[in-house]
Structure formats: C-alpha cells, structure tokens
Amino acid sequence: MNLTKSQIKKTITIVVFSFFSLSMNSQDLTNNLKLWSGVNVSYGINDNLTGKLSQLFAFNASPTTYSFSQTKLSLSYKIKRRIYVEGGYVRGLFNDSNSLRNQGATSGWFNTLAVDRISGSFSFKHDLVKRLSLSHEIEFQYFFPDLDKYKTRTTYSTRLGYNVKRSSLSPYIESMFYYYQGGIISNGIKRFRLKPGISFKPIKNSSMGISIYYIYQNEFKTDQLPDNDYSVIGTNLSFKIK
C-alpha cells in the first residue's frame, strides 16, 4: 500500500502542530536527556535523482521544553547501485541566547535564532554476509554564521545493519565521528556518537517506515568552551513518493 500525497501532508501537519503546542522556553542547549521526533519525505525525480525533505524536533525530557529544530532540503544522486552523492541546505532553530547572538545567529520563527549550513556527502553500502550490511558516509558541512566551535565540520559515519528474515525489521548500530575546523578551539576530532536502533514498516508493502533509536553523544577537547554531552531517545517517520 502506497500512501497518497494528501495522506503524507496530513501526517506531517499533525507532527508540526504537536510541536508548536509544546512549551518553547528560552535556554541554551543542555546536557540532559533529549526526545527527538523526525519526519522524512523523499520524492523520486527519476531513476537516479531523488529530492528529500526532513524535519527534526528536539525537546529536553524533564521538564519538557524546546531544545532545537532542524529542517533539511537535499538532492541525492545515485552514481551506481548503493553509491550516492548528496548536497543539501539545513536551517537550525535554537532558543534565543546571548551566546548565539554574539556568534551572529539571525532571528528565526517564534523567538528563536537561526543557524544555517550547506553540506555535501558521499556514501556507499556493501554486504558483509547474507542480510548483514555495512554502510559508510563522509559529509562536509559549512556553517554560517561562523560558530565559536567550528566554521566547518566533517563527519564520518558507519552503520551495521541486519535484515531479519521474512520481516521488515532491521536492527542497526551506527557510529559517527566529528572533525571541527575553523573555530576558536583547536582543530580535530571533537565529538563521537553511538546510535543503536531498529527500523521497520508498520504496514506490509507500504511506502512508510518507522525508526526507533537511542543516541549517546560525547564531546571532548573543546578547550575553553563547554562540552555538549547528552543522550537521545528518538523516533522517525519516513515516506517515499514515487
């Protein structure tokens, strides 16, 4: 069963309405448990080119307060089977704070401050054994305005996934390393994430997928600036429009 465009729009509208109905207290990013909720929509332009829209909402768990949101538009091109390049634009909306204002963040919606970035990535995936695969992605990110911690950021991620036989269930574990460059701190690998999770299709043969995951983030060696460490419990809905 493929979802229609109107059904997808209704689902996204419900998620967005739920987000804006929650409190958006002004505070900096905090080192505590986060609750993330995301929606991804992809549209196949042709056999090799895909347009993507993703929206992420992040909240502090206790008390439940707004942390940040992130909107991404991108185009993905398939070079060959399981090999892709992608370019995108991301707008992040954060709580109003003196720290971000001093770094040149611009005013966003609903008393937030906006930080933008453009990115380019290369990814590929290969099988290790039957139903067990390993994927790799390298992404370069350029931020504007320049942030204290970095002007550019390069990430490398690897993901080990297993497709359960006769099922849409796919447990996975992903690791990610972040290289900071161009800020007031020294350049180098400054952040690590570990992300175990599971993805599945709630309706057989549908274009909708669900992912449930946990993230452990550790930031280190940021010199005079504070580390930003936190954990995340997250869910994500994905839709494909052909």
Side-chain angles (χ1 to χ4, degrees):
M1 183 187 76
N2 290 325
L3 296 176
T4 65
K5 292 182 180 180
S6 62
Q7 288 174 317
I8 292 173
K9 288 179 180 178
K10 287 179 181 178
T11 302
I12 296 174
T13 300
I14 292 172
V15 173
V16 172
F17 177 80
S18 299
F19 157 68
F20 285 119
S21 68
L22 292 175
S23 171
M24 295 177 64
N25 296 341
S26 295
Q27 61 185 36
D28 290 324
L29 289 175
T30 55
N31 295 349
N32 60 3
L33 179 64
K34 309 288 184 185
L35 302 175
W36 287 8
S37 179
V39 178
N40 298 338
V41 179
S42 62
Y43 175 73
I45 299 171
N46 56 40
D47 290 341
N48 296 320
L49 191 63
T50 302
K52 298 179 180 180
L53 168 64
S54 62
Q55 179 65 56
L56 172 68
F57 302 121
F59 299 90
N60 298 309
S62 182
T64 304
T65 54
Y66 174 78
S67 180
F68 69 92
S69 68
Q70 184 171 282
T71 305
K72 181 176 182 179
L73 289 169
S74 62
L75 281 175
S76 175
Y77 180 77
K78 181 173 70 174
I79 299 175
K80 59 186 298 185
R81 183 175 179 267
R82 294 186 167 188
I83 301 177
Y84 297 86
V85 290
E86 184 172 320
Y89 162 77
V90 177
R91 163 151 285 205
L93 296 178
F94 299 85
N95 283 315
D96 194 339
S97 69
N98 289 330
S99 174
L100 280 178
R101 285 191 178 276
N102 291 337
Q103 293 176 73
T106 58
S107 296
W109 295 349
F110 303 99
N111 196 35
T112 60
L113 294 178
V115 175
D116 301 299
R117 72 174 185 256
I118 55 175
S119 64
S121 67
F122 171 80
S123 63
F124 66 96
K125 181 178 180 180
H126 57 94
D127 292 330
L128 297 177
V129 294
K130 189 175 182 181
R131 293 194 295 276
L132 184 67
S133 62
L134 186 65
S135 59
H136 311 263
E137 182 177 54
I138 299 175
E139 181 174 273
F140 175 80
Q141 304 169 348
Y142 175 83
F143 288 78
F144 51 99
D146 299 346
L147 300 178
D148 287 345
K149 285 187 178 179
Y150 42 75
K151 179 177 181 178
T152 64
R153 196 170 69 178
T154 303
T155 67
Y156 168 71
S157 62
T158 181
R159 175 167 169 162
L160 183 67
Y162 180 77
N163 294 322
V164 178
K165 189 175 182 180
R166 297 190 181 91
S167 170
S168 67
L169 289 174
S170 181
Y172 62 86
I173 185 166
E174 180 178 330
S175 61
M176 181 178 289
F177 296 89
Y178 293 72
Y179 184 92
Y180 295 177
Q181 188 171 19
I184 64 175
I185 64 175
S186 59
N187 298 337
I189 296 175
K190 303 289 185 178
R191 181 189 294 186
F192 169 74
R193 276 185 181 175
L194 185 65
K195 180 183 178 182
I198 187 167
S199 61
F200 60 94
K201 289 186 176 182
I203 303 174
K204 187 177 180 180
N205 299 323
S206 74
S207 61
M208 180 176 68
I210 295 177
S211 179
I212 302 171
Y213 58 87
Y214 171 82
I215 292 176
Y216 166 76
Q217 173 170 295
N218 178 230
E219 194 175 48
F220 45 86
K221 296 182 180 180
T222 56
D223 302 337
Q224 69 270 33
L225 298 177
D227 297 334
N228 188 210
D229 301 331
Y230 54 78
S231 298
V232 175
I233 296 175
T235 60
N236 191 77
L237 293 175
S238 61
F239 302 91
K240 292 183 180 180
I241 306 174
K242 296 182 180 181

